[in-house]
């Protein structure tokens, strides 16, 4: 549980809101392993992009050159194509899977798989989730667009811009993703690039280069309202708050995509909603906890992360319990101890977010998540249930290795190791330690 003296452990990644509280000195010492005898210059704060889209754009700068689509074969020669695998009734998602990749593996249509499972192109899937595959016909291999007839109808052409995806282009123009594939001789693994021409309607492309056709304005929706963007808002959090899908929100706002940068004061159309009510919308995460009020920027980030988790599928509490235990075994930590922390912190609730922006089952704040990333040697995404468990267990393992006894290590997770070594355990910390030990006994 988050207290004024227990900022939790998390990381700064483009996919999460990473603002954390400027807490009292005793709280900010939470994860310091040791203090040098001579004062050293304070580390420079990590520069955090103002929006999720800006973070994604900043990250993309370092990715490197993208191979143009025309340099990559879109289909295998017929002689090299493997036999189509038999299609099972269902498929269990593993790490790294996407719906389009699963569909390609079994020669199915991506749109049909999404419809069969009542998913959208923006729905997140997670390891262990079951995806139904039966009840649809196998998709025919992608074929080049047929030759233009003698009296062809003219196709509408769209010019790809930075940040576009085939799914987003299809949604913007009100057509299916499979149609985009068919009209352009593409498939789910095709790479597109800025400046590329994509047909977004049937017929042949015009012989002369044409300016990209503007996306048609969405038809007015009954009860459509508006929302004025505030600092800390994201498209996904706005969609979640108003009970609409991200795809519907983007479709209702012409030229808005998942990578569009939004700004405070900008107005968005909310499909199927009434006019924005006067006054503030009730936040998902309150600004106070146990008598301590957190800074607005921290609470804003916490609400953004809460909205993202609310809009995403997450493991059940029982599944999260198994994930934590398996992670502890793999990392050499007592499973019963790791389970005790997870139950104490969140009750195995991966959607839990505190006003201090402590995220997920292990209640880790972004700065602590960055430390955990350094401990395991890779970037951890605290919104991912497996990474969240890894972050918490990595911190527990390090605290045990660097503390004089188990009680001190447990106290360090709550109060901060340096604070415990300098001031001793506070009364609430002692109660926390006893609670963790009692819970550990129940897990054997």
């Amino acid at each position: 549980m988050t207290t004024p003296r227990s900022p939790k452990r998390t990381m700064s990644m483009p996919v999460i809101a990473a603002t954390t509280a400027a807490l009292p000195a005793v709280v900010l010492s939470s994860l310091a392993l040791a203090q040098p005898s001579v004062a050293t210059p304070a580390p420079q704060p990590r520069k955090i992009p103002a929006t999720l889209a800006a973070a994604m754009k900043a990250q993309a700068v370092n990715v490197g050159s993208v191979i143009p689509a025309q340099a990559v074969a879109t289909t295998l020669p017929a002689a090299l194509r493997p036999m189509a695998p038999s299609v099972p009734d269902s498929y269990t998602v593993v790490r790294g899977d996407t719906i389009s990749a699963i569909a390609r593996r079994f020669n199915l249509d991506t749109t049909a798989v999404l419809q069969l499972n009542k998913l959208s192109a923006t729905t997140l899937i997670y390891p262990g989730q079951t995806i139904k595959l039966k009840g649809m016909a196998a998709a025919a291999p992608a074929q080049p667009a047929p030759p233009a007839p003698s009296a062809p109808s003219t196709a509408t052409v769209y010019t790809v811009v930075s940040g576009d995806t085939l799914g987003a282009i299809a949604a913007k123009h009100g057509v299916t993703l499979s149609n985009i594939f068919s009209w352009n001789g593409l498939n789910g693994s095709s790479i597109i690039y800025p400046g590329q021409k994509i047909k977004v309607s049937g017929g042949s492309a015009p012989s002369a280069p044409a300016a990209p056709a503007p996306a048609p304005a969405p038809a007015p929706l009954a009860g459509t309202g508006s929302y004025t963007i505030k600092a800390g808002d994201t498209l996904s959090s706005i969609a979640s708050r108003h009970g609409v899908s991200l795809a519907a929100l983007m479709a209702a706002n012409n030229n808005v995509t998942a990578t569009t940068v939004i700004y405070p004061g900008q107005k968005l159309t909310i499909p199927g909603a009434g006019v924005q009510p006067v006054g503030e919308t009730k936040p998902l995460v309150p600004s106070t906890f146990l008598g301590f009020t957190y800074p607005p920027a921290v609470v804003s980030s916490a609400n953004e992360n809460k909205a993202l988790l609310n809009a995403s599928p997450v493991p059940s509490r029982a599944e999260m319990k198994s994930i934590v235990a398996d992670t502890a075994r793999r990392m050499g930590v007592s499973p019963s101890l790791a389970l005790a922390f997870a139950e104490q912190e969140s009750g195995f609730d991966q959607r839990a977010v505190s006003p201090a922006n402590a995220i997920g089952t292990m209640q880790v704040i972004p700065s602590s998540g960055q430390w955990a990333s350094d401990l395991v040697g890779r970037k951890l995404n605290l919104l991912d249930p497996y990474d969240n468990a890894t972050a918490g267990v990595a911190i527990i393992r390090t605290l045990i290795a660097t503390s004089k006894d188990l009680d001190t290590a447990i106290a360090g997770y709550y109060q901060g190791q340096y604070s415990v070594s300098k001031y001793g355990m506070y009364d609430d910390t002692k109660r926390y330690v006893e609670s963790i030990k009692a819970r550990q006994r129940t897990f054997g």
Side-chain angles (χ1 to χ4, degrees):
M1 182 165 298
T2 306
T3 73
R5 291 190 295 276
S6 60
K8 300 299 178 186
R9 297 138 289 278
T10 59
M11 58 170 277
S12 172
M13 286 188 66
V15 293
I16 68 173
T19 308
T20 52
L23 302 176
V26 62
V27 181
L28 291 179
S29 65
S30 177
L31 293 172
L33 296 182
Q35 289 292 315
S37 56
V38 179
T40 57
Q44 294 298 314
R46 294 168 62 87
K47 184 177 180 181
I48 301 174
T51 65
L52 176 62
M56 294 169 64
K57 188 173 294 184
Q59 186 181 45
V61 173
N62 299 319
V63 170
S65 301
V66 174
I67 301 174
Q70 64 265 31
V72 181
T74 59
T75 60
L76 284 173
L80 298 180
R81 290 176 190 157
M83 293 181 61
S86 59
V87 181
D89 291 337
S90 62
Y91 173 81
T92 302
V93 177
V94 298
R95 289 183 69 107
D97 272 341
T98 63
I99 291 294
S100 59
I102 295 170
R104 286 199 308 274
R105 183 177 306 166
F106 297 103
N107 198 29
L108 300 173
D109 181 72
T110 300
T111 302
V113 176
L114 290 172
Q115 292 174 347
L116 182 64
N117 291 274
K118 298 180 180 179
L119 304 175
S120 71
T122 58
T123 301
L124 298 179
I125 60 176
Y126 57 89
Q129 183 177 356
T130 299
I131 300 297
K132 291 186 290 186
L133 300 178
K134 281 294 178 71
M136 66 191 76
Q143 297 293 332
S150 55
S153 59
T154 302
T156 303
V157 176
Y158 173 80
T159 302
V160 177
V161 298
S162 179
D164 272 342
T165 65
L166 291 172
I169 294 171
K172 182 184 297 183
H173 292 86
V175 297
T176 66
L177 184 58
S178 57
N179 281 340
I180 293 290
F181 289 159
S182 174
W183 294 332
N184 295 275
L186 303 175
N187 57 41
S189 60
S190 297
I191 299 173
I192 61 175
Y193 55 91
Q196 183 178 355
K197 305 287 186 182
I198 299 293
K199 286 191 284 184
V200 293
S201 69
S204 62
S207 56
L221 296 174
T224 295
S226 65
Y227 175 77
T228 303
I229 296 172
K230 301 178 180 62
D233 276 341
T234 65
L235 290 173
S236 57
S237 67
I238 294 170
S240 175
R241 187 179 306 157
H242 290 85
V244 299
S245 69
L246 180 59
L249 180 64
M250 292 190 294
N253 292 272
N254 198 21
N255 297 324
V256 172
T257 69
T259 58
T260 299
V261 177
I262 60 176
Y263 53 88
Q266 181 181 356
K267 290 188 179 296
L268 290 179
T269 299
I270 306 299
V275 178
Q276 182 180 352
V278 178
E280 293 295 321
T281 304
K282 182 179 179 180
L284 298 172
V285 179
S287 59
T288 60
F289 183 71
L290 294 179
F292 187 86
T293 300
Y294 289 84
V298 176
V299 178
S300 176
S301 290
N303 274 279
E304 183 176 335
N305 288 324
K306 180 68 173 178
L308 287 170
L309 287 170
N310 282 352
S312 306
V314 299
S316 67
R317 292 175 189 259
E319 290 169 333
M320 206 62 231
K321 183 177 177 181
S322 296
I323 290 172
V324 172
D326 291 343
T327 301
R329 291 188 192 96
R330 177 172 49 83
M331 298 180 68
V333 172
S334 166
S336 62
L337 180 61
L339 290 170
F341 275 104
E343 185 179 59
Q344 174 73 30
E345 293 291 335
S346 69
F348 304 107
D349 182 6
Q350 178 58 18
R351 285 198 172 106
V353 181
S354 78
N357 202 18
I359 300 168
T361 302
M362 303 305 291
Q363 288 290 277
V364 186
I365 61 172
S367 58
S368 301
Q370 181 59 54
W371 179 47
S373 296
D374 294 339
L375 291 174
V376 301
R378 67 178 179 86
K379 279 285 187 182
L380 297 174
N381 174 10
L382 298 175
L383 300 181
D384 178 290
Y386 290 87
D387 280 2
N388 191 281
T390 297
V393 172
I395 292 169
I396 294 168
R397 182 175 63 180
T398 300
L399 289 171
I400 292 173
T402 56
S403 300
K404 64 181 182 179
D405 53 39
L406 181 59
D407 283 12
T408 304
I410 295 173
Y413 197 94
Y414 177 78
Q415 181 179 324
Q417 192 179 49
Y418 174 69
S419 175
V420 172
S421 67
K422 185 172 183 180
Y423 302 106
M425 296 185 201
Y426 298 116
D427 289 341
D428 55 336
T429 303
K430 293 176 182 177
R431 291 191 294 271
Y432 181 88
V433 171
E434 290 306 314
S435 177
I436 292 292
K437 291 164 67 177
R439 292 176 188 276
Q440 184 180 12
R441 289 191 290 272
T442 67
F443 291 116

Coordinates of all heavy atoms in Angstrom, one line a residue, residues 109-111 170 175-183 186:
D109 N -8.0 -14.5 -42.1 CA -8.1 -13.1 -42.3 C -8.1 -12.4 -40.9 O -8.9 -12.7 -40.0 CB -9.5 -12.8 -43.0 CG -9.7 -11.3 -43.3 OD1 -9.0 -10.8 -44.1 OD2 -10.5 -10.7 -42.6
T110 N -7.3 -11.4 -40.8 CA -7.1 -10.6 -39.6 C -8.5 -10.0 -39.1 O -8.8 -10.1 -37.9 CB -6.1 -9.5 -39.7 OG1 -4.8 -10.1 -40.1 CG2 -5.9 -8.7 -38.4
T111 N -9.2 -9.4 -40.0 CA -10.5 -8.8 -39.7 C -11.4 -9.9 -39.2 O -12.2 -9.6 -38.2 CB -11.1 -8.1 -40.9 OG1 -10.1 -7.1 -41.4 CG2 -12.4 -7.4 -40.5
A170 N -7.3 2.1 -42.9 CA -8.6 1.5 -43.2 C -9.7 2.1 -42.4 O -10.8 2.4 -42.9 CB -8.4 0.0 -43.0
V175 N -13.2 1.5 -44.5 CA -13.1 0.2 -45.2 C -12.4 -0.8 -44.3 O -11.8 -0.5 -43.3 CB -12.3 0.4 -46.5 CG1 -13.0 1.3 -47.5 CG2 -10.9 0.9 -46.3
T176 N -12.5 -2.1 -44.7 CA -11.9 -3.1 -43.9 C -10.4 -3.2 -44.2 O -9.9 -2.9 -45.3 CB -12.5 -4.5 -44.1 OG1 -12.3 -4.9 -45.5 CG2 -14.0 -4.4 -43.9
L177 N -9.6 -3.8 -43.3 CA -8.2 -4.0 -43.5 C -8.0 -5.0 -44.6 O -7.0 -4.8 -45.4 CB -7.6 -4.5 -42.2 CG -6.1 -4.7 -42.2 CD1 -5.3 -3.4 -42.5 CD2 -5.6 -5.2 -40.8
S178 N -8.8 -6.0 -44.7 CA -8.6 -7.0 -45.8 C -8.8 -6.3 -47.2 O -8.2 -6.7 -48.1 CB -9.6 -8.2 -45.6 OG -10.9 -7.7 -45.6
N179 N -9.7 -5.4 -47.3 CA -9.9 -4.6 -48.5 C -8.6 -3.9 -48.9 O -8.2 -3.9 -50.1 CB -11.0 -3.7 -48.5 CG -12.4 -4.4 -48.6 OD1 -12.4 -5.5 -49.2 ND2 -13.4 -3.7 -48.2
I180 N -8.0 -3.2 -47.9 CA -6.7 -2.5 -48.2 C -5.7 -3.5 -48.7 O -4.9 -3.2 -49.6 CB -6.3 -1.8 -46.9 CG1 -7.2 -0.7 -46.5 CG2 -4.9 -1.2 -47.0 CD1 -7.2 0.5 -47.4
F181 N -5.6 -4.6 -48.0 CA -4.6 -5.6 -48.5 C -4.9 -6.0 -49.9 O -4.0 -6.1 -50.8 CB -4.7 -6.9 -47.6 CG -4.2 -6.8 -46.2 CD1 -4.6 -7.6 -45.2 CD2 -3.3 -5.7 -45.9 CE1 -4.1 -7.5 -43.9 CE2 -2.8 -5.6 -44.6 CZ -3.2 -6.5 -43.6
S182 N -6.2 -6.3 -50.2 CA -6.6 -6.8 -51.6 C -6.3 -5.8 -52.6 O -5.7 -6.1 -53.7 CB -8.0 -7.2 -51.5 OG -8.5 -7.6 -52.8
W183 N -6.7 -4.5 -52.4 CA -6.6 -3.5 -53.4 C -5.1 -3.1 -53.7 O -4.8 -2.6 -54.7 CB -7.3 -2.2 -52.9 CG -8.8 -2.4 -52.9 CD1 -9.6 -3.3 -53.6 CD2 -9.7 -1.7 -52.0 NE1 -10.9 -3.2 -53.3 CE2 -11.0 -2.2 -52.3 CE3 -9.6 -0.7 -51.0 CZ2 -12.2 -1.7 -51.6 CZ3 -10.7 -0.3 -50.4 CH2 -12.0 -0.8 -50.7
L186 N -1.0 -6.2 -50.7 CA -0.2 -6.2 -49.4 C -0.7 -7.3 -48.5 O -1.7 -7.9 -48.8 CB -0.3 -4.8 -48.7 CG 0.1 -3.6 -49.5 CD1 -0.2 -2.3 -48.7 CD2 1.5 -3.7 -49.9

